[in-house]
Amino acid sequence: MLSHKQDEKNKGEAVTFIEFDSAAHSEFTYSKKNNNYVRTINDGRDYIDKETGKSIKVKNVLVQKVSSKVLDAKGRLKIDMCAGGEAILFTNGKCIKGTWSRENLDSRTIFKDNNGNEFKLSVGKTWVMVCDQNTTVSYDIENLTDPNRRRRYHGEITIDHYGRQVPKHAHGTTNLDRKTSTAGKIIQA
């Protein structure tokens, strides 16, 4: 069970920006002043809740990495929700890495940090991002804007689609000529 802890400081790396690069590009920006994450989409516009007409603001962003495969020519996916895998919790401006597991589709998903402790969520709304192998999750951008961290960073740097300097992805990625959710185009890449 995910625990809620008021004002508990989770250990982890400082992170102020989270980016999900997939067919539906989205981002979360951390507001230290409000201690929450604001969701934006595509060109940096706030993601607006259709019911309330307000920006989406959450206390936690929980990433559950899964594997998927294309089932048919229509691009329908089979997503393995019981295999377990990598999990990342963003809360209080920090990033905590860990894993998730689930016995079967009728059981709950358990999220634990790399020390084996269940993730501690901040009290408030949580946005869960279920991301397959076609989604790149980036969150080290602050490291290049903080002068002290920037001096210590010696990895490769690239320019993102907003013109910012960011660390180069550590795994294989490619850019498509346009946004798509068509599985065939993604597989060809």
Side-chain angles (χ1 to χ4, degrees), residues 41 44-45 48-49 51 53-54 78 82 98 101 111 136 153 159 165 189:
I41 56 171
R45 292 176 288 128
I48 304 298
D49 184 306
E51 298 287 319
K54 296 181 180 178
K78 178 178 181 175
C82 295
S101 62
F111 296 88
T136 301
Y153 180 73
I159 305 296
Q165 289 187 339

Side-chain angles (χ1 to χ4, degrees), residues 17-28 39-40 42 61-65 88 90 127-131 134-139 161 179:
F17 185 79
I18 313 161
E19 180 177 32
F20 298 92
D21 218 356
S22 64
H25 183 90
S26 65
E27 304 165 343
F28 287 88
R39 186 166 192 246
T40 58
N42 297 324
V61 178
L62 181 57
V63 177
Q64 180 178 2
K65 293 194 174 181
I88 308 169
F90 298 94
W127 189 279
V128 179
M129 292 288 291
V130 178
C131 302
N134 297 314
T135 302
T136 301
V137 181
S138 304
Y139 54 88
H161 58 277
K179 292 186 183 240

Side-chain angles (χ1 to χ4, degrees), residues 19 74 103:
E19 180 177 32
K74 292 184 178 182
E103 287 184 32

Side-chain angles (χ1 to χ4, degrees), residues 30-48:
Y30 177 68
S31 168
K32 189 172 186 175
K33 177 183 174 186
N34 299 315
N35 190 29
N36 65 15
Y37 297 86
V38 179
R39 186 166 192 246
T40 58
I41 56 171
N42 297 324
D43 58 359
R45 292 176 288 128
D46 282 5
Y47 186 91
I48 304 298

Side-chain angles (χ1 to χ4, degrees), residues 67-182:
S67 62
S68 70
K69 68 178 185 176
V70 178
L71 291 176
D72 56 31
K74 292 184 178 182
R76 290 183 279 210
L77 297 175
K78 178 178 181 175
I79 301 172
D80 191 341
M81 296 300 294
C82 295
E86 184 181 353
I88 308 169
L89 171 63
F90 298 94
T91 188
N92 294 317
K94 303 280 185 191
C95 166
I96 298 94
K97 296 178 184 178
T99 60
W100 68 273
S101 62
R102 186 174 184 188
E103 287 184 32
N104 57 55
L105 291 176
D106 295 323
S107 63
R108 68 183 180 93
T109 304
I110 299 171
F111 296 88
K112 293 185 177 183
D113 66 23
N114 286 333
N115 293 321
N117 303 307
E118 286 197 37
F119 279 161
K120 306 276 190 232
L121 300 178
S122 297
V123 174
K125 295 177 183 176
T126 299
W127 189 279
V128 179
M129 292 288 291
V130 178
C131 302
D132 70 5
Q133 66 275 8
N134 297 314
T135 302
T136 301
V137 181
S138 304
Y139 54 88
D140 284 328
I141 293 170
E142 182 184 50
N143 290 341
L144 297 181
T145 59
D146 179 326
N148 293 325
R149 289 186 181 145
R150 178 67 177 97
R151 279 193 298 275
R152 294 191 308 261
Y153 180 73
H154 301 292
E156 289 186 61
I157 297 171
T158 188
I159 305 296
D160 72 5
H161 58 277
Y162 294 109
R164 300 173 296 200
Q165 289 187 339
V166 296
K168 185 173 181 181
H169 296 298
H171 56 66
T173 62
T174 188
N175 290 323
L176 301 174
D177 58 349
R178 60 185 166 83
K179 292 186 183 240
T180 184
S181 61
T182 304

